[in-house]
Amino acid sequence: MFLGYRNKWLCARAAAAAIMLLVAAVAHAQGSITLYGRVAGGVDYMNKIATGNGKTADLLRYGSNQWGVSLWGLRAKEDLGDGLSAVMNLESAFSSGDGQGAGVGLFSRYAVVGLSSSTYGTLWLGRAMGLPDSEGWTVDPMGMQAISIGTLQNGRSWGSRGNAITYASPDWGGLSFRAQAGLNGVAGNFNAGRQLAGSLSYDNGPILIKAIYEEIRDAKGEFTNLYTASRLYEAGAAYVVGGLKLFGGYSLTRSGGATVADADNPMAANKQQQFWLGANYQVSPALTLIGGAYRAIRNNSAGNGTLLALGANYFFSKRTLLYGTVGTVMNGGNAAFSVEAGSNRPVAGASQQGVYTGIVHRF
């Protein structure tokens, strides 16, 4: 036991030393490096979780990442002259509940290197957040919390994409676009595990409009799962009127005829539509009230779900906020959507409620 603890301690020291060497090396170059992050923690409660044989139970647990994931990262930039810069970004997610990493590997969100130009845009090579995640949250009234646009999509919009090439255009009077392609290198099957995505944005004054497309294929290059190997089409908008910000959007998720049934999709639906409306209202410089209504409809008698959410963000300072969110999901037919994205589903056709609150500190 002592040797195991000592080995973990040595590994932790080695990782810390490597990070410090990286910081020192980048800082020594003619550029800049930024250490940043946030830590989120709180309490989470859900009811009516199916436990088998038609029975349910409630759940009270530590709330680590319901409002948003805890993370830390490093950004670096070196001026190469003529408006061109070398850039890199390393970012890791973790749980404040146990301090363990979340995702695949140390830098589960970003591990990119690239070039950036104010004239030609930015090119990244490496793991980066998917466009439905990094772009879609801006047109979601709940900001992609655990109760948000991603809930009825069973997390389809969330996450990073590996082996990716990502390009972001410059801003032309509020108009911009991004493109992303994941190259997974399977011999003899170019489409195996392939990911392609693009987004178009118009952000000017009080109005924001976004359109997003992403396709993810399975290991055979096919669309066989509604939430993990499918095509996603999404469009949303936000409009600011004084202290009120209004949101609306639509998404369509489609897989193929060979869609496989699983716990998230027991009726093997290969099509899901989702609509949402919501608003943010800034009561004061410190307090913002948020709310959203989401409706998902699936084919193949897979049922539908309606999600309602209300919340508040109270900023003690620019870096520290107190959050609270409450939600309810109402399932119809054979649907068993959870009120929070995840596996804690109710009985098919039943409703479920959840609430979480906590603190977030940014640095």
Side-chain angles (χ1 to χ4, degrees):
M1 180 182 292
F2 174 77
L3 288 176
Y5 175 81
R6 185 171 183 273
N7 287 336
K8 290 181 179 179
W9 179 75
L10 289 173
C11 289
R13 287 200 63 183
I19 292 169
M20 292 304 294
L21 285 173
L22 176 61
V23 171
V26 177
H28 180 71
Q30 293 182 356
S32 62
I33 187 167
T34 301
L35 172 65
Y36 67 92
R38 72 184 181 204
V39 183
V43 178
D44 180 30
Y45 169 79
M46 298 173 63
N47 67 7
K48 301 180 183 178
I49 298 170
T51 57
N53 297 322
K55 296 182 179 180
T56 64
D58 297 352
L59 172 67
L60 178 64
R61 60 182 174 178
Y62 181 87
S64 180
N65 296 323
Q66 279 74 21
W67 183 88
V69 67
S70 297
L71 57 88
W72 70 275
L74 296 169
R75 292 193 187 98
K77 184 176 183 179
E78 182 186 10
D79 186 358
L80 302 177
D82 295 326
L84 185 67
S85 298
V87 294
M88 78 88 182
N89 190 186
L90 302 174
E91 187 174 292
S92 180
F94 64 93
S95 166
S96 66
D98 56 16
Q100 299 297 310
V104 180
L106 176 59
F107 298 111
S108 57
R109 289 171 59 87
Y110 287 96
V112 298
V113 62
L115 297 172
S116 180
S117 165
S118 58
T119 303
Y120 301 107
T122 300
L123 179 68
W124 286 342
L125 303 174
R127 174 175 288 275
M129 296 304 292
L131 300 191
D133 191 320
S134 59
E135 296 289 316
W137 74 270
T138 60
V139 290
D140 179 9
M142 301 303 294
M144 278 199 174
Q145 298 184 26
I147 302 177
S148 70
I149 186 178
T151 308
L152 300 184
Q153 294 177 343
N154 285 299
R156 173 63 176 82
S157 295
W158 290 342
S160 59
R161 310 300 185 233
N163 305 313
I165 300 172
T166 307
Y167 171 76
S169 76
D171 183 283
W172 299 293
L175 185 66
S176 63
F177 73 91
R178 298 183 68 194
Q180 187 175 70
L183 305 177
N184 291 303
V186 176
N189 190 347
F190 176 76
N191 287 326
R194 194 185 63 167
Q195 176 257 341
L196 288 174
S199 68
L200 181 65
S201 303
Y202 180 74
D203 188 358
N204 195 353
I207 189 167
L208 169 65
I209 302 173
K210 285 190 181 288
I212 303 166
Y213 169 79
E214 183 184 57
E215 65 176 54
I216 300 176
R217 298 172 182 263
D218 66 10
K220 295 182 178 180
E222 300 174 353
F223 299 110
T224 55
N225 189 291
L226 188 60
Y227 302 116
T228 63
S230 58
R231 291 185 171 100
L232 172 67
Y233 307 82
E234 191 168 284
Y239 187 80
V240 178
V241 183
L244 184 65
K245 190 173 187 179
L246 303 172
F247 297 84
Y250 169 81
S251 69
L252 170 65
T253 308
R254 302 201 70 151
S255 51
T259 296
V260 178
D262 61 13
D264 291 327
N265 184 18
M267 304 301 291
N270 59 15
K271 177 182 177 182
Q272 176 174 310
Q273 299 181 79
Q274 182 174 219
F275 310 82
W276 68 90
L277 292 170
N280 291 179
Y281 179 65
Q282 190 169 5
V283 179
S284 69
L287 177 62
T288 301
L289 303 180
I290 60 178
Y294 307 83
R295 173 73 170 171
I297 303 170
R298 297 189 297 200
N299 68 346
N300 288 359
S301 301
N304 53 72
T306 300
L307 177 69
L308 304 176
L310 290 173
N313 296 324
Y314 184 83
F315 287 83
F316 293 107
S317 68
K318 291 183 178 180
R319 296 192 299 170
T320 304
L321 73 87
L322 173 69
Y323 65 86
T325 299
V326 59
T328 182
V329 65
M330 294 161 282
N331 289 292
N334 293 305
F337 292 108
S338 172
V339 69
E340 296 180 22
S343 59
N344 293 309
R345 289 178 288 271
V347 175
S351 63
Q352 185 182 58
Q353 291 73 45
V355 58
Y356 49 81
T357 184
I359 298 173
V360 179
H361 178 77
R362 295 183 176 91
F363 61 89

